Amino acid sequence: MAKIPTSPFAELGPKTPVETGTVKRGIYGRYLEEFTEGAIFEHPRELTIDRSFAQEFATTFMEANPLYLSAPYAQAHGFKDLLVSPLMVFNVALSLGVQNDSEKALANLGYYDVQFLKPVYPGDTLSAKTKIIKIDDKGADKPGIVHVRTICLNQNKELVLQYERKIMIYHSNGKPKGTPKPVIKDAFFPETDSPVIELPELKFPKGFETSTWTDTYFENFAAGQIYIHQNGRTITDEHFPWTYRVGNTHPLHYDKLYSSGISGPMGGEPVVYGGLVFAWLCGLSSRDVTENVIWDLGFTEGYHTQPSFSGDTVTAITRVLSVKDRGTEFGIPAGEVHLQFIGLKNIKANDAFEKFGADLFLKENDKKKHGKEKLPEKIFEIERKILVKKK
């Protein structure tokens, strides 16, 4: 143990002249011209997910699956401990990348090929890296689109999550730029185009029959079913601390001075960070469709179609697109369920279904070609695959 002598120190401020020419202003994020295709960013900071943090996320975001709530339940099914919610892993991975990827972004345009490849447990430490796949530059006076792939690693440098997203970003056009860390050309980036899910040997234990309801097993799902989730969730200013708790540094989500200086639908009050909206919507569906999930097979083609603000109440609807029996491929009898997931705000899910019907399930960006108007109450759309236990 190092022992270093110390003593009280004298005040210097009143005697020290102010040098107004030596001011430093930390500017973070990148404008469009600061991205290069193929570049890899090793994001600063990593986050250890302790047990209380994992369980607080799972309960705050309304998870009903005991795998994220009960260590005995998860262990009885073959896992080492209770699992960190996949939506928490996703939020941490995305948020750690904001400083390099999207702190200057106008909007997050979409999520693609979200794949959870390995369990994350309490005590694991997550880090993230991003590769720039493509840049669509539409000119200096228009926002461009940056397509990225982000990976999330645990403390053993094992790949636990991989996903892509598209970000809308302006050129700097004379605005002051920051000094982001240089790109590391030979950075370790274990991405894969042939993903493999690594799970322990799963078990189907006895004694946990009352831990979940009996109507959320694989046999209860059929293509064409529509689940109108009955409860909503009003988002309060709680979203401010949660944004930074998962590592997101974009001021749009917690700085009223910043957000009030933005014009358009994203301006005014701070916008709720989309990853949190995503997690709350999934939580609202959990009791109906994911209580007996044993692995989240991922998400794709997901879009935030409208922003959310403190005070908004979000609701959700799920449609079953297909079901597929996977036998004992994952160690226990289970099946794959492919879902379409819709998020709404400030309207009850029942009322939205009565009002809009099948139009809810049309992608918002496709509405024009169908001669339809976009729905201001619809805030999110994505497809999801889940692996569900059989009875």
Side-chain angles (χ1 to χ4, degrees), residues 127-130 149-153 159 161-162 188-191:
S127 60
K129 305 182 183 190
T130 293
R149 171 180 278 181
T150 294
I151 61 173
C152 183
L153 307 176
L159 183 63
L161 166 66
Q162 178 174 285
F188 174 66
F189 195 83
E191 64 183 328

Side-chain angles (χ1 to χ4, degrees), residues 57-65 87 227-235 276-291 312-318 341-349 379-380 384:
F57 185 96
T59 52
T60 297
F61 292 91
M62 307 176 72
E63 290 281 9
N65 190 325
L87 268 297
Y227 289 80
I228 301 176
H229 309 300
Q230 294 302 300
N231 289 348
R233 175 62 154 82
T234 301
I235 300 172
L276 302 182
V277 177
F278 188 176
W280 267 310
L281 290 168
C282 286
L284 289 171
S285 73
S286 187
R287 287 190 298 178
D288 292 333
V289 296
T290 62
E291 226 183 15
D312 283 346
T313 298
V314 296
T315 57
I317 296 176
T318 299
F341 188 54
I342 304 299
L344 305 153
K345 72 173 182 179
N346 301 329
I347 186 171
K348 292 180 179 180
I379 60 171
F380 189 62
R384 181 183 195 180

Side-chain angles (χ1 to χ4, degrees), residues 21 36 61 67 96 106 112 117 119-120 132 154 196 206 233 245 249 260 268 282 286 293 303 315 320 328 386 391:
T36 305
F61 292 91
L67 288 177
L96 289 175
L106 176 66
Y112 310 87
L117 302 178
V120 175
I132 309 306
N154 63 18
V196 175
K206 299 293 183 181
R233 175 62 154 82
R245 289 198 73 192
T249 57
S260 64
C282 286
S286 187
V293 164
Y303 306 97
T315 57
V320 180
T328 57
I386 52 177
K391 293 180 180 178

